[in-house]
Amino acid sequence: MIKNYLKIAIRNVLRHKGYSAINVAGLAIGIAACLLLFIVIRYENSYEKFNKNYSSIYRVVTEDNDADGLDYNPGAPFPAIELLRTQLPDIKVAGFNAHFGSQFTVIGQHEKGTNIEKKFLEESGTYFIEPEYFSMFDVNWLEGSAAVLKEPNITVLNKSTAEKYFGKWQDAMGQLLRLDNSYVLKIGGVFEDQPLNTDLPMTILTSYATLPAIKDYGWTRDWGTLSSNSQIMVMLPDNISQAQLQQQLNTISKEHYSGDKTDNSRRAVLQPLSDLHHNERYGGHFGDHVISKGSLLTLTLIGLLIIVMACINFVNLSTAQAIGRSREVGVRKVLGGNRWQLFWQMMGETFVIVMISVILALLLTRLALPFIKTFVSIQEIPTLFTAVNMLFLGGVILTITFLAGAYPALVLSGFRPALALKNKITSASVGGISVRRGLVTLQFTISQVLIIGTIIAITQMNFVRNADLGFKKEAVMVVTGRADSSIIARQKAFKAALQQLPGVVSVSSNSDVPSSDNNSASNFTYDHKGDDEPFDIFHKFGDEDYFKTYGLELVAGRAPRASDTIAEFVVNQTFVKKVGAKNPEEVIGKEMRLGRSRWKTIVGVVKDFKTNSLREDIKPLEISSNSKRYDQVAIKMNTAGLSSTAKSIQQTWDKFYPEYAYSSFFVDESIANFYRMEEQLSRLYKFFAGLAIFISCLGLYGLVSFMAVQKTKEVGIRKVLGASTGNIVYLFSKEFTILITVAFLIATPLAWWMMSNWLQEFVFRIDIGAGVFLLAIIISLGIAWITVGYKAVRAALANPVKSLRSE
């Protein structure tokens, strides 16, 4: 029986090649899109899960509650590590401090043909770390163990880094490295590379006991100093819950933050390890990207909608074709076939089409996987044929077979044999017209939601790219280095040499570009008040040319005079508002001190510029000189001859700092990295909106093709009676135009609500205007008219004599 059903199913598929091709194409694209999204979402949800203690590990982060709301920092004060270990003996505690752009020189090994020792610049993945970390996180040691990190001046490498430095990882043990040309470290171990799905990628780990001796890394016992680089991990035993530990942290916060916040508004908060990859507000992620749970939910919803649209195509075409198969059903019933036998025969036909679609979908997915990095930040191409993926695909096959096949099968199997054999079954008699209208409306509602969402996402990203940041980012190259005594000693001579280069407009030694993800901040006291202000002040350090190089505009006062130490402050307009001053001039001449340092005078107020990404508010900021913190040089260049100027800059660096590796970036590119995930999601939305439109057009084309066949004689009669081509096209398109307009009215509020929520992630964002929705309906109607018009024009141009000859 089953074999017979399959034979009949295959024959019916081959008999109606055109409609079968439309169904197969729509389902294959839908299944491929759904499978790709499942692979992406599964990968994004797999971060850190390779650690067996995944569900028990938390990060201790910091929240500040001030008049403007909550501020979030992933870091914790340095002294908090020992305090937590002492007061919470049942909790495992481990601290680490990330550092970026560090240079490691291999002592005793030289570059080929030179007497210069091998040097490597590590942009990320390097940490000072406590050995307790490895009692929480899974690391496979090839040589050595975590115990070696109890001693100062010891470092361990992952396998890839050891091979990069020494050729064979086995040769790394016992070798010496020089960190930033200042601190000698001995290699005490080698560990296996971590999986790539981690937000804590580790390549070179130096003992935490080394950190206090390294002045440049900001180690302090001050509870008021926070850095996103200095973080604490804890692991809870089974008998202590997150809520219980949070209560203890609240008590500790009140005791130790009271001196820094007049209203005790700062507190330590537990963040689950599972939340690191999906929570953007804390920052401090050292992996390649972060993706919010809302974005993953959106991708899941898009995958479901694409599948639903493909199923709608199948249902519409199957019910439209039902009339043509009415005699077949009538004959089968007269010969003794019952309704359920017919139902399962039709379901068998659906299953055959779905299986053909799955084979094609697997081929499409396999071809698409290498290009998946264009749309999402996956570092490795996922494996397609895994047990989980195939199990998911099996679920998709069953779901689609029943979603797409059940209704048409019930309609066909329900025909009365007497009416079927007399060919008196019509679309109206089986309720097919109203159902098809509803499904077409639903399909175009989904399409228009995706179109509107894509237009808004593209518009917001264009706004982000072209937003006025309050400073000049174009043609500014930053050469990164280290704020150590060796570089500082040659800093002024290096700057003077750069200023002499053709194509260089201005040069500034500084600690940070105006807009970055750096959140260095501290407590401070303003105007000799007895208590600290109830909010932190953020820091940027730059020399006297910082304002000129970045085109920063002063609204009051002047820029700081040249100095190697903090002598004067320039603050921003946000600072003026938060201290309660009525205007910028009111703060000029007032004194301020950072932490417990000496009082210094405010000499200027700079116009607000975007200190971080456009997702965040502008922070209260001070800019001051401090040559010990200058770890980069910003060079404003003429736009003509950028490449030759950049080459001259590198040559100048090599002349002044031959023992240091060269590294640089352009400011506009670093700012663009803020929005890499949004850019990728925007491309993803465009891609899936295109798929949705294509699937809708496939279904529309199939329905219009069916209508053209059904109305062949009607069109012939109308042509004979004088109807024009335009009249015929109108006959075919008016109903679909009405349905698309109804779909637009439904889609508009849905899309507005969804995209308004997405835009809330940006403090600086576009307004959703009527133009977005007008463009969406024009696109939808235009595509539908083109799709319908092609078949309608062909029907209108057909010779009416041929269509009426049988009469």
Side-chain angles (χ1 to χ4, degrees):
M1 182 69 75
I2 293 175
K3 184 179 178 182
N4 186 44
Y5 284 168
L6 286 174
K7 279 184 179 180
I8 295 169
I10 293 169
R11 285 173 186 166
N12 276 312
V13 168
L14 296 175
R15 186 180 300 129
H16 305 285
K17 293 182 180 68
Y19 296 121
S20 297
I22 290 173
N23 279 329
V24 167
L27 288 174
I29 291 169
I31 293 168
C34 197
L35 184 56
L36 278 171
L37 286 174
F38 175 76
I39 290 170
V40 170
I41 293 167
R42 183 166 170 262
Y43 181 86
E44 296 291 354
N45 281 323
S46 70
Y47 271 61
E48 313 303 341
K49 288 186 177 178
F50 57 85
N51 294 296
K52 65 177 182 294
N53 299 315
Y54 169 78
S55 58
S56 302
I57 299 173
Y58 297 80
R59 180 168 67 173
V60 179
V61 297
T62 305
E63 288 184 358
D64 283 330
N65 190 0
D66 59 30
D68 294 327
L70 283 171
D71 285 328
Y72 305 94
N73 194 308
F78 286 97
I81 299 171
E82 283 305 320
L83 180 79
L84 292 177
R85 195 170 282 139
T86 302
Q87 295 199 5
L88 306 171
D90 296 331
I91 308 295
K92 287 185 178 179
V93 180
F96 64 84
N97 185 272
H99 51 115
F100 304 93
S102 294
Q103 179 176 306
F104 290 88
T105 304
V106 182
I107 296 176
Q109 295 194 18
H110 299 82
E111 302 283 355
K112 280 186 178 181
T114 71
N115 59 355
I116 299 174
E117 290 179 315
K118 282 185 179 180
K119 53 184 181 290
F120 300 90
L121 194 66
E122 301 293 344
E123 295 294 345
S124 61
T126 58
Y127 301 79
F128 293 98
I129 198 163
E130 293 190 310
E132 288 82 1
Y133 181 90
F134 301 97
S135 64
M136 306 180 194
F137 291 84
D138 296 337
V139 171
N140 181 28
W141 291 91
L142 300 174
E143 286 281 352
S145 68
V148 300
L149 292 172
K150 292 179 180 179
E151 301 298 324
N153 305 317
I154 297 293
T155 193
V156 296
L157 315 180
N158 72 345
K159 182 181 178 183
S160 293
T161 305
E163 290 174 344
K164 180 172 72 173
Y165 286 15
F166 302 101
K168 296 180 180 179
W169 67 262
Q170 293 88 343
D171 296 338
M173 289 296 293
Q175 299 278 1
L176 298 179
L177 300 178
R178 187 183 297 111
L179 171 61
D180 295 331
N181 282 307
S182 300
Y183 308 97
V184 176
L185 306 172
K186 183 179 179 180
I187 299 174
V190 179
F191 58 93
E192 280 281 9
D193 293 359
Q194 291 173 288
L196 295 175
N197 52 338
T198 178
D199 286 304
L200 300 168
M202 296 188 172
T203 57
I204 302 179
L205 309 177
T206 304
S207 59
Y208 201 83
T210 311
L211 187 58
I214 302 179
K215 296 178 182 178
D216 300 330
Y217 282 71
W219 190 88
T220 176
R221 292 193 178 278
D222 180 14
W223 277 85
T225 300
L226 273 180
S227 170
S228 58
N229 290 353
S230 179
Q231 300 187 13
I232 299 175
M233 293 291 181
V234 297
M235 190 170 83
L236 276 60
D238 294 337
N239 62 337
I240 297 179
S241 68
Q242 180 182 351
Q244 290 172 321
L245 181 55
Q246 186 60 61
Q247 286 183 340
Q248 293 175 292
L249 289 179
N250 291 343
T251 303
I252 291 171
S253 298
K254 289 179 181 178
E255 292 174 356
H256 292 274
Y257 287 135
S258 59
D260 300 304
K261 297 284 171 182
T262 55
D263 58 356
N264 291 334
S265 62
R266 175 174 286 178
R267 69 181 188 121
V269 177
L270 287 176
Q271 181 190 18
L273 183 63
S274 58
D275 190 52
L276 259 67
H277 189 62
H278 307 298
N279 194 330
E280 295 175 321
R281 65 184 182 183
Y282 288 110
H285 307 91
F286 307 119
D288 62 318
H289 71 289
V290 179
I291 185 168
S292 68
K293 290 182 179 177
S295 296
L296 291 181
L297 183 61
T298 301
L299 293 179
T300 303
L301 184 61
I302 288 173
L304 290 173
L305 293 178
I306 294 287
I307 284 292
V308 168
M309 292 179 72
C311 291
I312 287 172
N313 277 357
F314 189 95
V315 171
N316 278 340
L317 290 177
S318 297
T319 52
Q321 285 180 278
I323 301 165
R325 298 186 64 181
S326 59
R327 286 183 178 177
E328 174 194 343
V329 172
V331 169
R332 289 182 179 279
K333 284 200 169 184
V334 167
L335 295 175
N338 61 44
R339 182 170 188 176
W340 288 111
Q341 287 175 323
L342 289 169
F343 174 84
W344 287 113
Q345 178 198 327
M346 304 306 170
M347 289 297 289
E349 291 179 20
T350 303
F351 181 76
V352 168
I353 291 175
V354 170
M355 289 308 298
I356 295 170
S357 303
V358 166
I359 293 169
L360 184 56
L362 285 171
L363 178 61
L364 291 174
T365 305
R366 184 69 189 86
L367 293 173
L369 274 177
F371 303 99
I372 201 169
K373 292 183 181 181
T374 306
F375 299 100
V376 289
S377 295
I378 290 180
Q379 296 188 59
E380 54 187 342
I381 298 174
T383 304
L384 175 59
F385 295 100
T386 66
V388 175
N389 290 348
M390 292 304 102
L391 188 64
F392 170 77
L393 192 59
V396 168
I397 291 169
L398 293 176
T399 302
I400 292 177
T401 300
F402 279 93
L403 272 179
Y407 178 74
L410 286 171
V411 169
L412 277 166
S413 61
F415 286 167
R416 294 180 181 179
L419 293 175
L421 291 172
K422 292 177 182 179
N423 205 23
K424 290 186 177 181
I425 301 293
T426 65
S427 294
S429 67
V430 297
I433 293 175
S434 58
V435 172
R436 283 201 300 279
R437 283 172 178 167
L439 291 177
V440 168
T441 302
L442 175 59
Q443 197 172 49
F444 273 95
T445 298
I446 295 170
S447 293
Q448 290 185 80
V449 166
L450 290 175
I451 290 170
I452 293 168
T454 300
I455 293 170
I456 292 172
I458 292 170
T459 307
Q460 173 65 18
M461 294 319 299
N462 287 337
F463 169 77
V464 164
R465 278 192 294 269
N466 302 310
D468 180 10
L469 301 179
F471 64 93
K472 304 298 183 185
K473 63 180 179 176
E474 293 78 14
V476 179
M477 190 171 79
V478 175
V479 178
T480 58
R482 296 300 312 167
D484 62 38
S485 56
S486 178
I487 285 184
I488 291 170
R490 290 168 271 178
Q491 203 171 68
K492 291 182 180 178
F494 176 60
K495 177 180 174 181
L498 290 175
Q499 289 171 326
Q500 301 303 314
L501 294 177
V504 171
V505 176
S506 63
V507 182
S508 168
S509 298
N510 56 79
S511 66
D512 193 18
V513 300
S515 184
S516 71
D517 55 4
N518 180 19
N519 287 315
S520 176
S522 70
N523 56 311
F524 74 105
T525 311
Y526 170 70
D527 197 22
H528 292 274
K529 295 177 182 177
D531 296 318
D532 288 348
E533 293 296 319
F535 58 91
D536 281 344
I537 190 166
F538 291 78
H539 312 298
K540 292 188 187 293
F541 300 102
D543 64 15
E544 66 277 10
D545 293 317
Y546 188 75
F547 293 83
K548 181 174 70 172
T549 301
Y550 284 111
L552 298 175
E553 181 183 341
L554 288 166
V555 295
R558 58 174 174 80
R561 293 192 178 96
S563 175
D564 289 335
T565 59
I566 298 176
E568 299 170 330
F569 295 117
V570 169
V571 296
N572 64 354
Q573 291 174 305
T574 298
F575 173 92
V576 174
K577 294 172 188 174
K578 289 181 78 74
V579 297
K582 296 178 181 177
N583 54 65
E585 288 76 12
E586 190 176 324
V587 303
I588 302 296
K590 296 289 176 67
E591 291 191 324
M592 178 174 74
R593 69 176 181 182
L594 307 178
R596 296 296 173 260
S597 64
R598 293 182 179 182
W599 294 92
K600 306 293 180 184
T601 304
I602 298 173
V603 298
V605 177
V606 67
K607 183 179 179 181
D608 272 345
F609 57 86
K610 308 301 186 291
T611 51
N612 297 91
S613 77
L614 296 181
R615 301 185 206 94
E616 303 175 57
D617 280 316
I618 297 173
K619 295 179 169 63
L621 177 75
E622 65 85 10
I623 303 174
S624 56
S625 56
N626 185 355
S627 63
K628 291 183 179 179
R629 299 291 294 273
Y630 298 163
D631 55 7
Q632 60 185 36
V633 177
I635 303 124
K636 176 72 174 178
M637 299 182 286
N638 287 321
T639 52
L642 274 178
S643 58
S644 61
T645 305
K647 186 176 180 180
S648 298
I649 290 169
Q650 181 172 357
Q651 290 171 348
T652 306
W653 171 273
D654 292 337
K655 177 182 174 182
F656 277 85
Y657 302 110
E659 73 276 30
Y660 287 90
Y662 176 81
S663 175
S664 66
F665 63 87
F666 281 94
V667 173
D668 52 357
E669 292 175 357
S670 72
I671 290 172
N673 284 334
F674 282 158
Y675 314 106
R676 183 175 59 172
M677 180 51 64
E678 284 83 359
E679 288 281 7
Q680 289 176 328
L681 287 175
S682 177
R683 286 198 292 269
L684 208 60
Y685 295 152
K686 281 188 276 188
F687 177 71
F688 283 108
L691 284 186
I693 293 168
F694 180 71
I695 291 172
S696 297
C697 289
L698 274 180
L700 202 56
Y701 182 81
L703 284 177
V704 174
S705 299
F706 179 79
M707 285 175 61
V709 173
Q710 292 289 98
K711 293 177 179 285
T712 300
K713 290 183 174 61
E714 179 186 341
V715 170
I717 293 170
R718 287 178 181 272
K719 289 277 287 183
V720 169
L721 295 176
S724 67
T725 301
N727 296 140
I728 303 301
V729 172
Y730 175 74
L731 172 69
F732 279 92
S733 61
K734 70 174 182 178
E735 181 178 339
F736 291 113
T737 300
I738 293 169
L739 294 180
I740 290 169
T741 304
V742 172
F744 171 74
L745 296 175
I746 298 170
T748 297
L750 281 174
W752 180 88
W753 175 75
M754 288 173 59
M755 296 312 294
S756 293
N757 287 337
W758 179 73
L759 286 172
Q760 293 304 312
E761 295 181 10
F762 294 86
V763 173
F764 302 94
R765 54 184 177 265
I766 61 168
D767 294 320
I768 303 176
V772 170
F773 303 103
L774 182 63
L775 180 59
I777 187 64
I778 290 172
I779 291 172
S780 297
L781 286 173
I783 291 171
W785 284 341
I786 290 170
T787 306
V788 173
Y790 172 72
K791 288 299 292 187
V793 169
R794 285 191 64 184
L797 295 176
N799 188 344
V801 175
K802 291 182 179 179
S803 60
L804 297 174
R805 184 175 294 160
S806 61
E807 300 295 318

